[in-house]
């Protein structure tokens, strides 16, 4: 009797153990197949979702927004979020906030609209973009056409901006357009997982430069919020600095120590963000200064010089004196020389070397002026 009882208990134990193993395997299969349903783990944060995105209604880590700097003081702001993301024109999207088991879906409020040109500052992107309030709703944001967009929102002021990245520009003293005009890197195509902006044959000289998109340095979400120390407003950077290998929103000017002809590109990819590539393809050709006449000008140029004349140019500064040989340069190899012989200079007065009359040379449109401090002679 005892043996029979022992065998029955043993059989029952194995059945229980096998049932537990089967349950464990079954549970693992459910997880592996992604059928977890309520068991899905979504990290807290703000997610861009909807048919305009590559992710539809999924909570994708590649579509999360990150905290960023308030451009007003260039310091991190815990309530200011941003992301760059390709969006399909005419399709909709929302921003969903995940906080524990809470899901809050945000869309446009009634004041969300294209910003009129008269309401944009000169530092904001020079394209049509949307700004306004967001609210908890299933109504969706939309964009007019396919492209890469910069989305920024601030949860304290309750405002959002959606700005098209029409192009990325190289700008600065090292670039052809100086600090006034962008050398545009245009998109090579539209793709929702990666996009590249590129320009070739750029003459990049020694000096500093930065990257900015759509002709803007910053975009405002608010201009009145008191953030302390006399500073007001919340703005997000629309430019990158730092270095090509480590881009930073609103970062320091990038220094170019290797002048040349470059192919420049800026690539965005999902989950990775931006990466810049500057490929030098050739040396900068030497400038041809043939026919560029120079004079010296200023109150330091004495009227006692035989060929000195009143400066009647727009400078209207003292006297002007052409270089020898009627201002034309001589050339030795690749070096150009301008000479002034037996020049009489006034004590404690200044002068500059410039293109004649301070205007560009008619032959090749070259122009410059070089200063010299007060002369003691």
């Amino acid at each position: 009797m005892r043996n029979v009882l022992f065998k029955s208990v043993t059989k029952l134990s194995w059945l229980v153990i096998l049932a537990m193993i089967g349950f464990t395997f079954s549970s693992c299969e459910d997880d592996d197949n992604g059928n977890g349903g309520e068991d899905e783990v979504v990290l807290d944060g703000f997610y861009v979702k909807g048919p305009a995105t590559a992710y539809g209604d999924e909570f994708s880590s590649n579509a999360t927004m990150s905290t960023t700097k308030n451009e007003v003081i260039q310091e991190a702001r815990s309530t200011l979020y941003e992301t760059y993301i390709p969006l399909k024109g005419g399709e909709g999207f929302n921003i969903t906030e995940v906080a524990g088991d809470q899901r809050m879906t945000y869309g446009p409020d009634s004041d969300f609209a294209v910003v009129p040109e008269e309401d944009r500052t000169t530092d904001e992107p020079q394209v049509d973009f949307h700004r306004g309030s967001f609210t908890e709703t299933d109504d969706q944001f939309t964009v007019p056409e396919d492209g890469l967009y910069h989305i920024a929102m601030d949860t304290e002021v309750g405002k959002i901006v959606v700005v098209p990245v029409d192009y990325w520009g190289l700008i600065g003293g090292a670039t052809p357009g100086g600090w006034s005009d962008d050398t545009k890197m245009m998109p090579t195509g539209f793709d929702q997982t990666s996009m590249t902006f590129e320009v070739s044959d750029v003459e990049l000289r020694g000096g500093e430069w930065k990257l900015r998109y759509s002709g803007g340095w910053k975009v405002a979400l608010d201009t009145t919020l008191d953030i302390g120390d006399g500073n007001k407003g919340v703005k997000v950077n629309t430019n990158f600095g730092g270095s090509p290998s480590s881009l930073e929103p609103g970062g320091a000017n990038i220094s170019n120590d290797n002048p040349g002809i470059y192919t420049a590109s800026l690539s965005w990819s999902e989950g990775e963000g931006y990466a810049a590539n500057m490929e030098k393809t050739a040396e900068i050709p030497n400038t041809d200064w043939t026919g560029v006449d120079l004079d010296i000008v200023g109150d330091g140029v004495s009227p006692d010089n035989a060929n000195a004349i009143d400066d009647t140019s727009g400078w209207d500064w003292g006297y002007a004196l052409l270089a020898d040989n009627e201002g034309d340069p001589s050339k030795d190899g690749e070096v150009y020389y301008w000479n002034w012989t037996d020049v009489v200079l006034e004590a404690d007065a200044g002068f500059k070397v410039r293109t004649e009359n301070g205007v560009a040379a008619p032959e090749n449109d070259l122009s410059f002026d070089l200063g010299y401090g007060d002369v003691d002679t």
Side-chain angles (χ1 to χ4, degrees):
M1 183 68 179
R2 291 175 59 189
N3 287 339
V4 172
L5 179 60
F6 176 77
K7 289 178 181 179
S8 298
V9 171
T10 302
K11 182 183 292 186
L12 179 61
S13 299
W14 277 108
L15 287 173
V16 171
I17 292 170
L18 288 172
M20 291 176 64
I21 292 173
F23 175 77
T24 302
F25 287 159
S26 176
S27 298
C28 289
E29 285 181 6
D30 284 346
D31 285 345
D32 290 342
N33 289 333
N35 299 324
E38 294 181 357
D39 295 331
E40 180 185 10
V41 176
V42 180
L43 298 178
D44 287 359
F46 291 85
Y47 294 78
V48 183
K49 297 175 57 183
T53 75
Y55 315 105
D57 290 330
E58 295 180 6
F59 288 95
S60 172
S61 60
N62 292 330
T64 56
M65 303 182 73
S66 303
T67 55
T68 189
K69 293 187 292 187
N70 183 358
E71 188 277 337
V72 175
I73 54 176
Q74 293 293 14
E75 293 181 3
R77 177 172 166 84
S78 62
T79 59
L80 180 59
Y81 295 82
E82 71 173 354
T83 190
Y84 288 86
I85 187 170
L87 298 171
K88 293 180 181 178
E91 302 284 355
F93 68 93
N94 292 98
I95 296 174
T96 300
E97 180 182 6
V98 176
D101 59 356
Q102 299 294 311
R103 305 285 191 273
M104 288 152 285
T105 299
Y106 300 116
D109 208 344
S110 58
D111 67 343
F112 182 78
V114 174
V115 182
E117 287 189 24
E118 61 269 20
D119 292 342
R120 306 173 197 169
T121 69
T122 56
D123 283 337
E124 290 189 307
Q126 303 302 296
V127 292
D128 286 343
F129 66 93
H130 286 71
R131 176 165 55 213
S133 304
F134 62 89
T135 187
E136 193 166 355
T137 177
D138 290 330
D139 293 343
Q140 294 188 320
F141 301 99
T142 60
V143 294
E145 57 187 24
D146 296 354
L148 186 65
Y149 287 82
H150 185 194
I151 303 174
M153 62 185 292
D154 190 274
T155 57
E156 180 180 359
V157 300
K159 296 293 179 68
I160 187 170
V161 292
V162 180
V163 191
V165 181
D166 280 2
Y167 64 86
W168 275 97
L170 303 168
I171 189 167
T175 71
W179 287 105
S180 300
D181 297 314
D182 295 285
T183 299
K184 296 179 179 180
M185 295 187 290
M186 303 303 295
T188 58
F190 175 74
D191 187 280
Q192 290 200 286
T193 60
S194 64
M195 290 190 65
T196 297
F197 299 77
E198 188 173 84
V199 66
S200 300
D201 299 325
V202 177
E203 187 176 293
L204 202 62
R205 296 186 175 273
E208 296 184 332
W209 58 280
K210 296 189 82 170
L211 291 158
R212 68 176 186 176
Y213 76 76
S214 300
W217 292 108
K218 66 194 78 171
V219 63
L221 289 90
D222 174 88
T223 58
T224 60
L225 181 69
D226 188 348
I227 57 176
D229 296 328
N231 298 304
K232 292 185 177 181
V234 178
K235 301 178 182 181
V236 66
N237 288 288
T238 60
N239 70 89
F240 286 142
S243 69
S245 61
S246 183
L247 297 173
E248 178 185 357
N253 293 346
I254 301 169
S255 180
N256 180 47
D257 299 322
N258 188 14
I261 306 299
Y262 281 82
T263 293
S265 66
L266 185 64
S267 299
W268 174 93
S269 59
E270 63 175 0
E272 300 294 331
Y274 281 105
N277 183 57
M278 306 295 294
E279 180 184 358
K280 184 175 178 179
T281 57
E283 298 294 338
I284 297 175
N286 290 328
T287 303
D288 183 359
W289 293 98
T290 304
V292 180
D293 297 341
L294 301 187
D295 62 21
I296 56 175
V297 65
D299 51 18
V301 178
S302 174
D304 294 337
N305 290 286
N307 296 318
I309 60 173
D310 285 325
D311 179 30
T312 58
S313 73
W315 289 37
D316 189 25
W317 182 32
Y319 290 86
L321 182 63
L322 271 175
D324 300 344
N325 194 33
E326 298 183 348
D328 289 343
S330 59
K331 185 180 179 184
D332 182 6
E334 293 299 316
V335 180
Y336 294 81
Y337 295 89
W338 291 263
N339 298 296
W340 289 261
T341 306
D342 297 329
V343 177
V344 181
L345 299 174
E346 298 289 339
D348 301 317
F351 71 91
K352 277 193 168 186
V353 179
R354 67 178 183 181
T355 315
E356 184 179 9
N357 291 322
V359 298
E363 183 169 332
N364 47 22
D365 201 36
L366 291 170
S367 178
F368 73 89
D369 62 81
L370 301 172
Y372 194 125
D374 287 349
V375 177
D376 181 8
T377 185

